[in-house]
Amino acid sequence: MIRVPGQPGNDLCDKQLQPTRRDILRVGGSGMLGLSLGGMLQLQASHASEGKSRAATAKSIIMVYLQGGPSHLDLWDPKENVPENVKSVFSNIPTSLPGIHFTELLPKLAQVIDKTTLIRSMSYTPNGLFNHTAAIYQMMTGYTTDKVSPSGQLEPPSPKDFPNFGSNLIRLRPPQEPMLPFVMLPRPLQESNVVGKGGTAGFLGKAFDPYTLYPPGDDMDMNKMDRINVSDLEMRADIYGERMERRARLLDAVNAGMPDIDRAVKDYKLNEYYDQALSLISSGRARDAFAIEQESQETRERYGRNTFGQSLLLARRLIEAGTRVVEVIWPKVANSDNHSWDVHVGLPDRMKRQSAPMLDSGLSALIVDLEERGLLEETLVVAIGEFGRSPQRGVSTSGNGNSADGRDHWPYCYSAVVAGGGMKRGYVHGKSDKTASAPVENPVHPSELLATIYEAFGIAPDTIVYNHLNQPRELVKANAVSALFA
C-alpha cells in the first residue's frame, strides 16, 4: 500500500478532504507548477552526450539577429572610388583595427571591433536567397525549404521544420543550472504574415522550443521592455510552501511504495528532472534574471533606452544566470518601414536616425559588458542579418520597388560580427570586391557559420538527428570555418 505522509488536507481550504487519486496523479502531471517542465528537462538531457567534437570554449551564445538585412556598404564595409550609386552616402571613419573603416554610423562599434572577428565575406553563393523568410530559415536551421506559398513566401512554421540551431544546442548541451535553456526576445522572426519560421524546435518537438518573451506593444514602442511579464515563472499565490513540500513527500511515498517500478525506471532519473523543474520555479533564478530594473541607470543608458538595447542587456542577464542560448531578434519585422533594416526607400534618414544608433550603442555595450564581467570568453556573440543590400541604389534585385536612395536585397555578399566563445580577436576574415558585390577571399556560407557555432560548443556539425519520419539528418551539411578560432 502507498501511504501519504503528513496531515491529509492540512494545507487545503477544505481540511476534511483526503488526498485523492488526482493528487497522486499530479505528481507526474503537476498542474500546479507546470512541472511537465520536468519531462522537458528529461528529454533535453537524454541526448546531451551526443555529437562531441573539439574541446569546447563556448558555453553560451547570444545571437543578435538583424532581421531585415542591414546594408553592409553603409555599415561595416564601405567602399571608396566607386560610382556614386554604389558609394555610401555616409562618410568613413577609422576603427581600432588599422586599415579597417566603418561608416560614421558606427562610432562606438568602431572602437571595440578589435575585441571581435569581422567577417566581410558572408555569401549564399552559388544559390542566392532573395526572400527574407527563406534566408532567415537557412540562417537559423542550416537548411532550405521547398514549400513556398503563392506569395513567394514560405509557409508558416510546421512540426516538420528543421530545428532552430538553439534547439539543437540545448538538446545536446543542456544548461547545468536550474535556468531557462533557450530564450527568444523581444519578438518572433517575421516577414509580413509569416511568423516564427525558423524559430522553433521543429521536428525535435516542443520540449526544445525557446521560451519566448514578447512584451505587449507596437514595434515602435521603445519602452516595451519595461513591461516584461514573466508570471509563468512565479509561484502561484495559492501554492504554499507546506503544500509544495507535501507533494514532494508524496512523490517519495510513491517511489518507496513501488520498489519494482522504481527499479524499472531508475535509469530515467525521474526524481532528478522533477527536482530540476521544481528548482527552476521555486528558486526564482529565472524570474530574477528578467528583473532588468535592478540594473543601474548608467548601464541601461549605455545599452540604449530602446527595445533593442534593453533586450541585449536582458540577454546578458540571462546568460549570467545560466541560460544557454539567447536570440535577440531585431525589434522590427522584416519587409517593413521605420526602424527596419529593409531599406528599399529612405535609406539615409532611416539608417542614420533610427536603426544604426540603436545597433551601435547596444552591440558595443554588450561586447564591453561581457568582457568586463569575465563572460566574453565563454559567451559567443554573433551579429548577422539574413543578407546584405544591393551594391547599386535604386536597382531592383528581388522584384521589389526601390527609390533612388534605397537598396534592395543582396545575398551574394554581406558582413557579420562574431566575438568571444573562442573566436579570434582583432581579426578580419574574408574580403569583398571593389563594390562589395561578391567575396574575393574566404567566402563563408551561412551554413558554415552555423557549423562554426556548433564547433565552438564542442559539437560535431555532422552529428545526426532524426526527423519526424525517423530519418537521419546532419545538424548542418557544412564544415566549421577553422580560421575563425583563436
Side-chain angles (χ1 to χ4, degrees):
M1 171 182 278
I2 299 173
R3 183 174 180 277
V4 181
Q7 297 291 324
N10 188 51
D11 59 331
L12 302 177
C13 295
D14 300 313
K15 297 182 182 298
Q16 75 276 9
L17 294 180
Q18 300 295 312
T20 67
R21 184 170 178 270
R22 183 182 297 273
D23 287 321
I24 296 174
L25 290 176
R26 276 179 179 167
V27 173
S30 65
M32 65 129 179
L33 286 176
L35 290 182
S36 56
L37 180 61
M40 182 189 78
L41 294 169
Q42 181 184 357
L43 284 170
Q44 290 174 358
S46 65
H47 300 287
S49 62
E50 297 176 12
K52 293 185 178 179
S53 180
R54 66 192 296 277
T57 299
K59 293 184 178 178
S60 56
I61 180 172
I62 300 174
M63 167 64 81
V64 183
Y65 198 68
L66 309 176
Q67 73 171 358
S71 172
H72 53 301
L73 288 115
D74 297 294
L75 294 174
W76 330 91
D77 197 6
K79 299 296 182 179
E80 295 287 353
N81 304 315
V82 292
E84 278 302 309
N85 69 338
V86 174
K87 185 177 180 180
S88 176
V89 298
F90 307 112
S91 59
N92 292 357
I93 60 172
T95 70
S96 54
L97 293 177
I100 301 301
H101 290 74
F102 288 170
T103 70
E104 61 184 299
L105 299 182
L106 302 177
K108 295 176 181 177
L109 277 168
Q111 296 307 306
V112 303
I113 201 65
D114 59 330
K115 304 179 189 298
T116 77
T117 281
L118 173 64
I119 305 174
R120 279 179 161 171
S121 55
M122 294 299 303
S123 176
Y124 283 90
T125 304
N127 297 315
L129 293 175
F130 285 89
N131 172 271
H132 288 288
T133 318
I136 289 170
Y137 186 83
Q138 182 163 81
M139 181 66 250
M140 290 295 180
T141 70
Y143 286 85
T144 56
T145 180
D146 57 5
K147 192 159 188 178
V148 179
S149 70
S151 68
Q153 296 173 332
L154 298 189
E155 296 288 358
S158 163
K160 300 175 184 178
D161 285 345
F162 278 90
N164 182 285
F165 76 91
S167 299
N168 281 325
L169 283 176
I170 63 167
R171 172 181 171 272
L172 295 168
R173 296 291 183 273
Q176 302 304 307
E177 307 287 349
M179 187 55 189
L180 295 167
F182 180 10
V183 178
M184 182 179 288
L185 70 154
R187 68 161 355 274
L189 298 161
Q190 181 176 350
E191 178 190 10
S192 297
N193 295 322
V194 181
V195 182
K197 191 71 171 181
T200 72
F203 62 64
L204 288 184
K206 289 186 175 297
F208 300 98
D209 272 345
Y211 178 89
T212 56
L213 184 73
Y214 302 153
D218 184 81
D219 283 355
M220 296 297 289
D221 182 353
M222 295 294 106
N223 298 313
K224 65 194 303 179
M225 300 308 289
D226 292 333
R227 298 191 297 277
I228 294 171
N229 181 4
V230 288
S231 57
D232 51 339
L233 297 176
E234 297 175 359
M235 193 76 71
R236 269 176 35 193
D238 60 339
I239 305 302
Y240 302 106
E242 181 180 350
R243 185 176 182 185
M244 186 168 66
E245 288 176 8
R246 186 174 76 86
R247 291 197 170 171
R249 293 196 303 271
L250 179 59
L251 178 66
D252 292 338
V254 170
N255 287 338
M258 301 168 67
D260 293 336
I261 293 180
D262 190 51
R263 281 195 296 271
V265 301
K266 65 182 178 63
D267 291 337
Y268 293 96
K269 304 179 181 178
L270 298 183
N271 283 342
E272 177 182 334
Y273 300 116
Y274 180 94
D275 290 343
Q276 286 182 27
L278 191 65
S279 296
L280 174 59
I281 302 297
S282 62
S283 72
R285 188 186 188 97
R287 185 178 66 252
D288 291 346
F290 287 108
I292 197 171
E293 69 277 3
Q294 295 179 0
E295 296 287 336
S296 69
Q297 292 302 310
E298 179 185 3
T299 298
R300 297 193 70 177
E301 292 291 340
R302 188 165 71 246
Y303 274 85
R305 293 302 290 259
N306 53 69
T307 305
F308 178 69
Q310 299 304 290
S311 293
L312 291 181
L313 175 54
L314 189 53
R316 189 223 77 205
R317 290 181 60 85
L318 288 164
I319 292 297
E320 204 167 25
T323 293
R324 182 75 77 200
V325 180
V326 181
E327 292 184 16
V328 176
I329 311 301
W330 187 257
K332 193 68 170 77
V333 61
N335 194 23
S336 63
D337 59 7
N338 280 327
H339 290 207
S340 169
W341 292 110
D342 201 21
V343 286
H344 293 281
V345 298
L347 181 154
D349 181 63
R350 287 169 56 186
M351 287 190 69
K352 185 172 185 176
R353 187 172 56 86
Q354 298 175 346
S355 51
M358 293 191 291
L359 172 63
D360 189 45
S361 295
L363 185 56
S364 62
L366 176 66
I367 292 168
V368 172
D369 202 5
L370 287 171
E371 180 163 63
E372 289 178 347
R373 293 170 179 272
L375 297 171
L376 188 58
E377 186 57 31
E378 294 183 344
T379 304
L380 180 60
V381 178
V382 178
I384 192 172
E386 58 265 34
F387 38 56
R389 310 304 295 188
S390 59
Q392 296 183 58
R393 293 193 300 277
V395 174
S396 178
T397 59
S398 66
N400 288 287
N402 298 272
S403 65
D405 63 355
R407 297 187 192 267
D408 208 337
H409 308 168
W410 193 257
Y412 295 123
C413 188
Y414 59 110
S415 300
V417 171
V418 297
M423 300 295 111
K424 288 178 179 175
R425 294 169 62 106
Y427 172 59
V428 179
H429 185 83
K431 180 180 178 181
S432 63
D433 63 14
K434 64 180 182 179
T435 59
S437 302
V440 292
E441 293 178 5
N442 301 319
V444 179
H445 193 276
S447 61
E448 293 177 311
L449 183 58
L450 280 186
T452 304
I453 291 172
Y454 290 129
E455 281 277 3
F457 281 82
I459 300 171
D462 61 354
T463 297
I464 296 298
V465 294
Y466 290 87
N467 69 9
H468 58 291
L469 299 176
N470 204 32
Q471 298 166 322
R473 295 289 183 265
E474 295 150 308
L475 290 179
V476 63
K477 294 181 179 180
N479 295 319
V481 184
S482 58
L484 298 181
F485 292 99

